[in-house]
Structures are given as structure tokens and as C-alpha cells.
Amino acid sequence: MQEKISFFINQTQFTQQPSAPLASFSHNELVKALNFHRTIPGYEPTPLYTLPALSQKLGIKKIYLKDESQRFGLKAFKVLGGAYAMACHIAELLGKEIDELSFDIMTSDDVRHYLKTITFATTTDGNHGRGVAWMARQLKQNAVVYMPKGSSQQRLSSIRNEGATAEIVNMNYDDAVRMTAEQADKSGWIVVQDTAWEGYEKIPLWIMQGYSTLMLEAMAQLHQVAPTHIFVQAGVGSFAGMVQGMVTAAWGDNRPKVIVVEALIADCLYRSALAKDGNAVAVGGDLQTLMAGLACGEANSIGWKLLRDYATAFASCPDEVAMLGMRILGNPLAGDPQIISGESGAVTTGLLALLMTSPTFRQTREQLGLDSHSRVLLISTEGDTDPESYRNIVWGTQYPVLQQ
């Protein structure tokens, strides 16, 4: 397992490339998303746990973990981005600023009569599509969701249970995104996708800003004391880019070190960083990985620029790293809370554990400055969104317990 993990420590300056956009990630911009989310029925900040026993075991001063399995009953953070982007779109249709509107106003009879019916469309590996479907139902609008081949039947059922029209298509994630955009153009649907490309950046930026609610919550829970390191998982890089943009806008050169963690089979950001020319590199193929939420082969153009210019390191990890993280969090040391973390949610915990315990990574952890003074923030981005898969992994009936 360890020999399959690759790191790139980012020391390259891309002086010939356009700089990353930081103004969109200022506190004044991001707090608009938090304030809107607070108006949605059922909103509560998700917990931020400390893991003192694991911290001691790994030789780290503090490990904090933000548990997104408790977000709106959907077991994942993704709804934050889709919901905010959909709300911003409605505000734009109404000629209003988002901070002038609440959820109650958007779902009022007068507004619905003015808007008529809107159909929101998206491609998803599961969590994002369920969040879009859920928000569309809350807004009394429609949703169409496409999933790439190999997607979980359980996740498909969860999306359909939210009232969306949904199906699994015979293509990989990135091809499905293009197909969704084509279908939406023909049908007059609104695409809600966190993948940004030329000519399609407004909604992905809103989605990224929507994700920031969890980080604003985390900073309040940390009493505005920044961690020294943040491990953040990445698919297209919209979530990781948001984290990077937010901490860079807030702290500049004194920002926490951000370590971007990807699935080995879909490590487009790692490969882009490795190329050292500042341009994004796409990864093709079936992109089959247990980390379904990270199975994306083409980078969000906004997120990539932020990570390219400011991230400390990129890591490419096989599925076994996620399995290890799931087992660590689900079977905690005495005194630590039990956390149900899914495949994409737990990979950062698995990577941190290996970094701190394996002699193979001694030089890497020294380069990253990970030691007994470090305060590390992890985000468990999902719970057991596919319960059967979770049990198969954690109980070891499908995948054997790994020998380190």
C-alpha cells in the first residue's frame, strides 16, 4: 500500500499563468452562503471533534475532525454547494442579491408563481446529486440526475427517493458531465455542476462558496485559531480549492498548510502539479475507485488555479488508504469518539496515520512540518452513504484487513 502513495511538494511558481481568484473567497463573500444556509429548515452546524488518543498515538499535538455525516440528514457535505448555487440562480432570476432572500421567501407562493417550474440537472457519483435532488424538492422544483457507470445502486435509490429523475449511464464521470450539459442545453435545464470549464464558471463558483459554510463553522468551533495543517480530499478540486482560497484570503503567507488528497486512479490534480507547467492535466479511463466521490478525472479550472498557486502538497492514494481511515475512525482508541466515515471521507485520516507512523514517509513529514507541535484539521466529508459498502469494508468481509 505505502509504495502506491505518491506525494508532490509544491514549490513551483507559475509566473506566466493567470493568478488564482482570491476575492471570491473573502469572509464577506463566504458568509453570505452561511447566512442563507441558516434559513433552511433543519440547519445545524455539524460537530467538530478532537481526537486526543489518536493525536498521542501519531505524535501530533491536536487532531480535529469535522463530521459532515450529520449534514441535513443526508450524510454528506455536498448539499451545501448545490443548495447555495440553486438559491443564487433563483436570486438572479428575481433580480435580487442572495443576502436579500431567505429560504422562506424563495419557496413562497408569489415567487414560485413568478418563476414557474425550474429543472436542475447534474452529474454525480452520489452525494452531490442527492443534495441537488433534496434541495430541488425543498424548493418545489425538479431535478434530473445522471450517474456514471459503476455507481452504487444504493446511492441511485437515495437520489430517486428525493423525487429526482435519475439513472446510471454507460460512461465515466467526465463524459457524463458533458452529456448532462448537452441534454440541459436541449431541454432548457439549469446545470448545477462543480466542474468548471470555459464559459461555465458562475455556478461552479457559487457551489465552491456554498461549501465554505462548513469551514466557517469549523473556524468558529476552533475559536478562530487556525490549524497548522489541513488535509482535504479532492475530486475535481472544487471543495479543496474552496478551502485553499478561504485560508489564503484570510491568512495570506501565514495560512495553514493544505495537503490535497486524491484517489490514485483519478489523481488529475496531483498529475497537474507534477507537470509543473501550470496547466491542468486530465485523467481518462473508467475511474473505478472505492472513493466514488473522488472519481473525477478533469479539474475544476477555478479550484485548480487556487491549488496550483497556494497548496503545500498533493497526494495520490490507493483505495487501501481510505479503508484504513474508515477502520481507524470507526474503531477508535479509548477516549476518542466513534466516527462513521465513508470511503471519500476517511482517506485523509488514513493518509495522516501512515505519514506519521511509517519510516517510508519520514522525509515527507519533515518537509510538511508535521510533528508534535502540529494542529491538524481533517474533514470527514461523508458518512456511510452506501451502508452495504461501508460494512463490507469495515467488517472486512469484502476487503481483507491490511498488513502495514
Side-chain angles (χ1 to χ4, degrees):
M1 171 172 57
Q2 296 172 26
E3 63 271 15
K4 296 180 183 178
I5 300 172
S6 301
F7 281 93
F8 176 78
I9 308 299
N10 192 11
Q11 298 174 326
T12 307
Q13 298 297 313
F14 303 103
T15 55
Q16 302 303 314
Q17 297 289 341
S19 59
L22 286 179
S24 297
F25 298 92
S26 68
H27 178 81
N28 288 341
E29 284 298 316
L30 300 184
V31 77
K32 295 176 184 178
L34 174 60
N35 288 339
F36 174 75
H37 287 136
R38 284 171 170 164
T39 72
I40 300 175
Y43 167 80
E44 289 184 6
T46 54
L48 181 80
Y49 297 114
T50 57
L51 307 177
L54 184 61
S55 300
Q56 184 176 19
K57 178 77 172 177
L58 300 184
I60 292 173
K61 183 175 182 179
K62 289 274 190 180
I63 297 176
Y64 306 98
L65 187 139
K66 182 75 166 158
D67 181 11
E68 287 296 302
S69 71
Q70 301 182 50
R71 183 68 68 183
F72 285 119
L74 299 175
K75 297 187 178 182
F77 83 103
K78 281 284 192 174
V79 64
L80 293 172
Y84 185 62
M86 294 157 78
C88 287
H89 175 73
I90 289 174
E92 191 173 73
L93 292 178
L94 297 173
K96 301 285 187 181
E97 295 295 326
I98 187 62
D99 47 12
E100 298 178 70
L101 297 172
S102 66
F103 176 86
D104 286 343
I105 294 174
M106 287 190 184
T107 54
S108 66
D109 289 342
D110 288 345
V111 167
R112 289 182 58 222
H113 178 74
Y114 176 81
L115 293 175
K116 309 300 183 188
T117 300
I118 302 171
T119 297
F120 296 101
T122 194
T123 299
T124 184
D125 294 292
N127 297 337
H128 171 69
R130 188 181 180 191
V132 169
W134 179 86
M135 188 59 178
R137 182 165 61 83
Q138 306 304 308
L139 294 169
K140 301 179 176 61
Q141 302 294 349
N142 297 333
V144 175
V145 180
Y146 295 107
M147 304 180 73
K149 61 183 175 181
S151 293
S152 159
Q153 289 292 330
Q154 174 63 59
R155 293 188 174 111
L156 174 64
S157 296
S158 296
I159 291 168
R160 287 175 171 169
N161 288 341
E162 299 294 345
T165 299
E167 64 175 296
I168 297 174
V169 297
N170 189 31
M171 56 189 73
N172 71 16
Y173 175 84
D174 300 295
D175 288 338
V177 168
R178 282 183 278 273
M179 184 273 293
T180 301
E182 291 170 2
Q183 291 294 326
D185 186 56
K186 294 175 184 176
S187 304
W189 302 338
I190 303 303
V191 177
V192 183
Q193 205 68 53
D194 63 354
T195 302
W197 58 85
E198 186 176 350
Y200 182 74
E201 294 184 326
K202 181 167 58 178
I203 287 177
L205 178 59
W206 285 337
I207 290 174
M208 294 173 71
Q209 291 172 328
Y211 292 155
S212 71
T213 286
L214 76 86
M215 282 297 292
L216 292 173
E217 291 173 356
M219 291 317 304
Q221 291 161 327
L222 290 169
H223 306 290
Q224 306 304 325
V225 177
T228 59
H229 300 74
I230 303 175
F231 282 67
V232 58
Q233 43 277 87
V236 298
S238 56
F239 172 59
M242 175 279 297
V243 173
Q244 186 67 73
M246 176 181 172
V247 300
T248 306
W251 288 291
D253 291 342
N254 297 318
R255 63 186 179 272
K257 295 177 180 178
V258 173
I259 295 88
V260 181
V261 183
E262 291 180 280
L264 173 65
I265 202 71
D267 55 357
C268 58
L269 296 166
Y270 167 80
R271 296 194 198 189
S272 299
L274 204 63
K276 298 182 182 180
D277 64 0
N279 297 313
V281 173
V283 177
D286 289 345
L287 307 179
Q288 295 301 306
T289 168
L290 286 177
M291 293 173 270
L294 309 186
C296 313
E298 297 179 21
N300 173 317
S301 57
I302 305 168
W304 162 239
K305 289 177 183 178
L306 290 162
L307 298 169
R308 176 198 70 191
D309 291 355
Y310 302 114
T312 297
F314 297 80
S316 172
C317 299
D319 287 346
E320 293 92 333
V321 179
M323 298 180 210
L324 176 62
M326 294 167 72
R327 291 169 178 150
I328 289 171
L329 294 173
N331 303 273
L333 297 169
D336 284 357
Q338 181 188 41
I339 297 165
I340 306 301
S341 183
E343 299 88 338
S344 299
V347 64
T348 50
T349 299
L351 180 61
L352 178 63
L354 289 170
L355 264 174
M356 299 308 297
T357 57
S358 171
T360 303
F361 299 119
R362 179 182 62 81
Q363 182 178 3
T364 302
R365 63 176 173 263
E366 289 176 356
Q367 288 177 302
L368 295 175
L370 283 164
D371 55 32
S372 60
H373 302 289
S374 300
R375 302 183 308 278
V376 178
L377 174 62
L378 306 172
I379 299 112
S380 177
T381 51
E382 65 174 357
D384 56 341
T385 53
D386 186 340
E388 183 177 357
S389 175
Y390 178 86
R391 284 192 297 272
N392 285 339
I393 294 168
V394 174
W395 290 5
T397 57
Q398 182 175 350
Y399 301 97
V401 176
L402 299 168
Q403 299 296 318
Q404 292 190 42

